[in-house]
Amino acid sequence: MPKTPWADRYRAAPTNKSNVMRTIILEGPISRAALAKRVGLSLPSVMTITENLINRGLVRAVGKGKSSGGKPPELLSVVPESEYYMGVDIGRGTIRLVLMNLAQKVVYGTMVETGEVQPVEAFVDRLCERIQSSLLESGVALDRLAGVGVAMPGLIERDTGHILFSPDFGWSDIPLQSWLQSRLSYPVLVENANRALALAESGWRGDGGESGTHTVLCVNIGHGIGAALMQNNQLYYGSSGTSGELGHITVCKDGPLCACGNSGCLEAVASGEAIALQARDAVCSGLPTSLRERCGGVSERIDAKLVFEVAAKGDAVALSIVDKATDYIGIGLAMAINILDPDCIVLCGGLTKNGPLFFDGVAHSMQMRQMRQAGRHVTLRLGTRGDYGTAIGAAHIISYNGWRVPRLEHYY
């Protein structure tokens, strides 16, 4: 019988080995009998798999469990320091880097300014230098590094990490993964930032996930707006790998021009950048608002955070801008509910830090706009991973795509 191609394995359900490994990571210390029951395998199969993982130094016995009448069972747990994953979140303003061990604990994190992104190859050179210096600072041995996951906004080709188009960066047709791989001596995988964030927020491999949740829509609302869908613990890509562009649905037919080239996109009217631009226009137009004093008469100093701060104090102009943005975001979420009917929607990103003024406005608009009885089981919540959520998800990209990483072939 011919061997299953790797590409087919990638699109198939996780293998028995990866299921066993994942369960030990999430639920260890755990006995072999409990493992067999949990993953639906025979005890001899689990014994063979765990013996292999122990021999590789990834799993170890950590004591005895409670006896149910016979010999106390041996408990297994992962060896945290046996393997590490680096995650890199390339944002328009900042780059965040983390190192995560096999037990999924972040052992190192740092942040630097993104700086100029043109010319692109010069930016890639600086990024590689930052990755190398961060690894040295962390003290993690390079032979323990499984790989580096890199996340950034834009349309990214699924298997090659090729940047097809990134409006935030003004990049088109950039072979980012190939360029990074040619400069670094360990595996590199490039993924869309919203998908990386969804891995962290949805609880893939157990990090803070929703118990019993099967379909999670993660919406990232910051400088721009994007989304990613997790269904049954798997990312949904769509036929061409470009799903999740919630920020580029049209919500205002004759609205402002978007960086993507269309007009009236959700991102063009409700993102952090859009809110700041509307506030700057209001100040320059001479509208009565305390934003003028708060920015010292220099409208370029206005950002979305300042607009929310002023709105919270009752400024009519700022409140109007905020109300319009949250209304549009609610409209976009209602569309997503009517089409997808997810179990949970998780709101992440910089705008979500603005408290009830943001969340309550979005929730009210969403509930008013979704079809009656549609999405009646959906829950709406804020993300829990914080500013480093996308970087953590980028680290998960390595283990999620383990078949593409030589060091992780023991999972498959």
Side-chain angles (χ1 to χ4, degrees):
M1 181 176 178
K3 191 174 182 179
T4 303
W6 286 114
D8 289 342
R9 288 192 181 191
Y10 172 48
R11 290 167 175 81
T15 63
N16 291 340
K17 282 185 181 179
S18 63
N19 273 335
V20 168
M21 187 64 173
R22 177 184 167 200
T23 303
I24 297 173
I25 290 172
L26 304 186
E27 302 182 22
I30 187 171
S31 70
R32 292 175 177 82
L35 264 174
K37 184 177 180 180
R38 187 71 175 82
V39 301
L41 295 175
S42 68
L43 183 57
S45 294
V46 167
M47 291 177 70
T48 299
I49 292 170
T50 54
E51 188 65 25
N52 178 266
L53 294 174
I54 289 171
N55 290 338
R56 289 176 177 268
L58 300 169
V59 171
R60 62 189 172 200
V62 292
K64 301 289 185 179
K66 291 183 179 180
S67 172
S68 57
K71 184 179 178 183
E74 187 174 57
L75 300 179
L76 303 178
S77 185
V78 295
V79 181
E81 64 276 12
S82 64
E83 205 162 79
Y84 292 87
Y85 313 90
M86 173 170 268
V88 182
D89 168 21
I90 307 176
R92 193 59 192 87
T94 58
I95 297 173
R96 291 182 169 87
L97 304 93
V98 301
L99 267 167
M100 184 172 68
N101 65 21
L102 184 59
Q104 303 194 354
K105 179 182 178 182
V106 174
V107 297
Y108 171 87
T110 190
M111 178 183 72
V112 296
E113 290 186 359
T114 302
E116 293 295 326
V117 297
Q118 299 287 354
V120 183
E121 288 203 64
F123 170 79
V124 172
D125 288 337
R126 293 198 308 275
L127 178 63
C128 289
E129 290 172 4
R130 180 68 257 187
I131 289 172
Q132 301 270 37
S133 64
S134 294
L135 285 169
L136 288 174
E137 289 171 11
S138 73
V140 169
L142 291 184
D143 63 355
R144 298 293 177 93
L145 182 67
V148 178
V150 176
M152 68 168 290
L155 300 179
I156 300 175
E157 195 169 54
R158 178 179 179 181
D159 292 329
T160 67
H162 193 104
I163 310 300
L164 303 175
F165 178 44
S166 178
D168 286 358
F169 283 71
W171 293 358
S172 294
D173 192 26
I174 301 296
L176 182 59
Q177 185 170 298
S178 296
W179 284 355
L180 290 171
Q181 191 62 82
S182 69
R183 291 163 168 81
L184 298 171
S185 60
Y186 20 82
V188 179
L189 296 177
V190 175
E191 180 58 277
N192 172 270
N194 300 314
R195 294 198 181 101
L197 182 58
L199 284 178
E201 287 290 349
S202 69
W204 190 77
R205 299 185 73 171
D207 276 338
E210 306 281 339
S211 177
T213 299
H214 302 294
T215 305
V216 178
L217 180 66
C218 183
V219 184
N220 193 3
I221 310 168
H223 180 86
I225 297 176
L229 187 70
M230 289 283 292
Q231 189 167 37
N232 296 325
N233 240 12
Q234 297 293 308
L235 283 167
Y236 176 77
Y237 283 83
S239 62
S240 62
T242 60
S243 68
E245 292 301 324
L246 184 68
H248 298 287
I249 60 173
T250 301
V251 294
C252 182
K253 180 182 177 182
D254 300 315
L257 182 68
C258 181
C260 74
N262 290 331
S263 296
C265 292
L266 178 61
E267 183 171 300
V269 296
S271 66
E273 180 70 3
I275 290 171
L277 289 173
Q278 292 166 34
R280 293 168 193 167
D281 287 345
V283 168
C284 293
S285 299
L287 294 179
T289 171
S290 59
L291 284 166
R292 183 174 293 101
E293 290 72 33
R294 291 293 303 275
C295 72
V298 182
S299 62
E300 288 75 16
R301 295 177 180 172
I302 298 174
D303 58 15
K305 180 181 178 182
L306 179 60
V307 178
F308 272 92
E309 288 177 1
V310 172
K313 295 180 179 178
D315 184 277
V317 171
L319 271 171
S320 176
I321 294 171
V322 167
D323 287 346
K324 185 171 75 169
T326 56
D327 188 39
Y328 276 128
I329 293 170
I331 291 171
L333 296 183
M335 290 182 186
I337 288 172
N338 292 345
I339 295 169
L340 301 172
D341 190 22
D343 295 282
C344 180
I345 296 177
V346 184
L347 302 182
C348 308
L351 289 194
T352 66
K353 297 178 181 179
N354 292 295
L357 188 59
F358 172 82
F359 186 83
D360 293 351
V362 169
H364 175 73
S365 174
M366 182 189 80
Q367 291 161 5
M368 292 294 292
R369 302 282 184 166
Q370 69 190 81
M371 182 180 177
R372 186 173 62 180
Q373 299 300 319
R376 60 189 181 278
H377 300 307
V378 68
T379 59
L380 180 70
R381 69 166 177 88
L382 294 174
T384 60
R385 306 302 302 199
D387 291 339
Y388 283 83
T390 301
I392 292 170
H396 279 305
I397 288 294
I398 295 297
S399 49
Y400 182 82
N401 293 284
W403 69 273
R404 299 165 65 188
V405 181
R407 183 183 173 90
L408 302 186
E409 62 185 7
H410 48 258
Y411 288 158
Y412 297 90

